Amino acid sequence: MPSPAPEFLITGVGITAAIGSGRDAFLAALLEARHAFASMTRPGRQAPGLDPFTGAEIPGLPEPQGVPARALRTASLSARAALTAVGEAWRDAGLDDVDPARIGLIVGGSNIQQRELVLAHQRHADRPQFIRPTYGMSFLDTDLCGFCTELYGIQGFARTLGGASASGLLAILDAVQAVRSGQVDVAIAVGALMDVSYWELLALRGMGAMGSVRFAGDPAAACRPFDAARDGFIFGEACGAVVVERAGSRAQLGPYAYILGSAVTMDRNRNPDPSLDGEVRVIEGALQQAGVTAADIDYVNPHGTGSPLGDEIELGALRKCGLTHARINATKSVTGHGLSAAGAVEVIATVLQMRAGRLHPTRNLSDPIDTSFDWVGAQAVEHQVTTALSLSMGFSGISSAICLRRF
């Protein structure tokens, strides 16, 4: 009996990232493996008396279209990035003619504006009574919902969803559920820019999740997922927006991919330790819901952070699920780890590569920890992706996966 036709589509994407803002610039940078890793310079990212952290920062500030200058004066970096990404995704999907009461918004991420809060506290440490009244809104993650719904007239619903580094992908999966349930006809999922301060960076490096100072003198070499010399993730600013709709629900401009299936599992573990069992279960769950086998997958976009243990466990799960034959690269090797944004950014990278028929290189993969996989190495390769799997993991034992098919 033939499988039922896929129900849900990705019909628009928007991206702002350190390597390039806008889907064309982003894809071009990916395919050329153009990175933006350097010592970070944003105020609030330097710990007093310590060497700067390595990461990738968006040049300047995103300039979203159509936002009054007065509103932008109180918009955080995270809000500006969300407005820019949602705007591009909105235009890409052609949403101007959709009833605004039938459009919903999910912002993936929590505690996403820490650097802004640190700077506000520092500015007003000796005169707290002069704090801006708008701080009463801007310290909340829902401020991004307010900005985006006001500018784009969204009236269906808006909410935030936190899932650590899996937040961006979880937002996409929540968007599918919102459309499936009939709550809205169109749902926009945002992987929010997590604007970390030096406090978060110090803690993440201290726990061994973020890369050490080993490559402080050579930032270009610091981010190296799946390489033997990796020693943790390298932060990269990014924000991605994905539009989800039911297939055939309207005259869609040019869909990217069908969403075949997905899965989310929990490892019952507060700590950041990855779980082989949890990752195997989430891969198997996504394949089962999609109605495909491992043999049908011809491309994997992994979580691939550069974590010493996490990369080993992830490849172990892919191997156990029979996915060593699929082409594989690591988007974070070029973009850095966007934390709450990562899952959405990597789904966007996946569908853009599908459309282009090319796969981007994996930077710094000099000595792969497992040579049994079909790696995309230092050069982009031609490859017509038909069915892809993208993985996204988060602290507290969250594993998520989505299966996509080229439209």
Side-chain angles (χ1 to χ4, degrees), residues 61-342:
L61 289 175
E63 290 294 337
Q65 297 180 20
V67 183
R70 183 177 178 182
L72 277 182
R73 281 199 296 271
T74 59
S76 67
L77 175 63
S78 298
R80 284 171 172 264
L83 286 165
T84 300
V86 170
E88 183 183 26
W90 184 283
R91 294 185 294 274
D92 195 24
L95 300 183
D96 282 344
D97 296 330
V98 178
D99 179 356
R102 301 298 300 163
I103 301 175
L105 175 74
I106 303 109
V107 175
S110 55
N111 305 312
I112 55 178
Q113 303 179 89
Q114 297 301 307
R115 186 185 64 89
E116 295 274 352
L117 304 187
V118 166
L119 292 176
H121 297 169
Q122 289 176 347
R123 280 194 299 267
H124 299 284
D126 299 326
R127 45 179 192 150
Q129 68 273 23
F130 292 108
I131 193 80
R132 278 183 174 179
T134 52
Y135 180 82
M137 299 182 295
S138 64
F139 83 91
L140 297 167
D141 297 329
T142 48
D143 200 36
L144 275 65
C145 296
F147 268 112
C148 291
T149 55
E150 180 178 326
L151 179 62
Y152 299 107
I154 296 167
Q155 294 178 299
F157 70 83
R159 55 177 172 259
T160 62
L161 184 158
S165 294
S167 296
L169 181 50
L170 294 179
I172 296 172
L173 304 189
D174 195 46
V176 173
Q177 292 302 324
V179 175
R180 175 180 280 125
S181 70
Q183 185 179 7
V184 290
D185 298 326
V186 175
I188 304 170
V190 177
L193 188 154
M194 180 167 276
D195 192 5
V196 289
S197 76
Y198 66 83
W199 291 109
E200 292 75 49
L201 296 172
L202 282 168
L204 289 165
R205 188 165 71 187
M207 69 165 53
M210 195 175 79
S212 71
V213 296
R214 183 194 304 178
F215 296 100
D218 186 10
C223 191
R224 42 198 325 118
F226 302 114
D227 186 74
R230 73 202 183 284
D231 76 340
F233 79 81
I234 303 299
F235 174 67
E237 289 181 343
C239 177
V242 173
V243 179
V244 174
E245 303 181 55
R246 193 179 293 275
S249 60
R250 64 186 182 96
Q252 288 142 345
L253 297 182
Y256 289 86
Y258 292 104
I259 299 172
L260 298 184
S262 61
V264 180
T265 63
M266 293 299 295
D267 298 337
R268 301 179 298 170
N269 180 14
R270 180 212 172 191
N271 296 311
D273 309 331
S275 164
L276 178 63
D277 174 68
E279 294 184 23
V280 167
R281 286 190 295 116
V282 84
I283 293 168
E284 291 178 342
L287 296 179
Q288 182 176 8
Q289 190 185 90
V292 300
T293 67
D296 296 317
I297 302 296
D298 49 24
Y299 170 65
V300 173
N301 190 296
H303 187 55
T305 65
S307 160
L309 181 58
D311 285 5
E312 292 272 8
I313 294 295
E314 185 171 18
L315 293 185
L318 290 168
R319 191 184 316 109
K320 192 167 184 179
C321 292
L323 287 160
T324 56
H325 68 280
R327 297 309 308 254
I328 182 171
N329 55 12
T331 296
K332 290 182 182 73
S333 73
V334 185
T335 64
H337 191 347
L339 301 175
S340 53

Side-chain angles (χ1 to χ4, degrees), residues 19 29-30 33-37 223 330-336 360-361 363:
I19 64 168
L30 277 180
R34 277 190 272 118
H35 72 91
F37 298 115
C223 191
T331 296
K332 290 182 182 73
S333 73
V334 185
T335 64
H360 71 73
R363 294 189 67 258

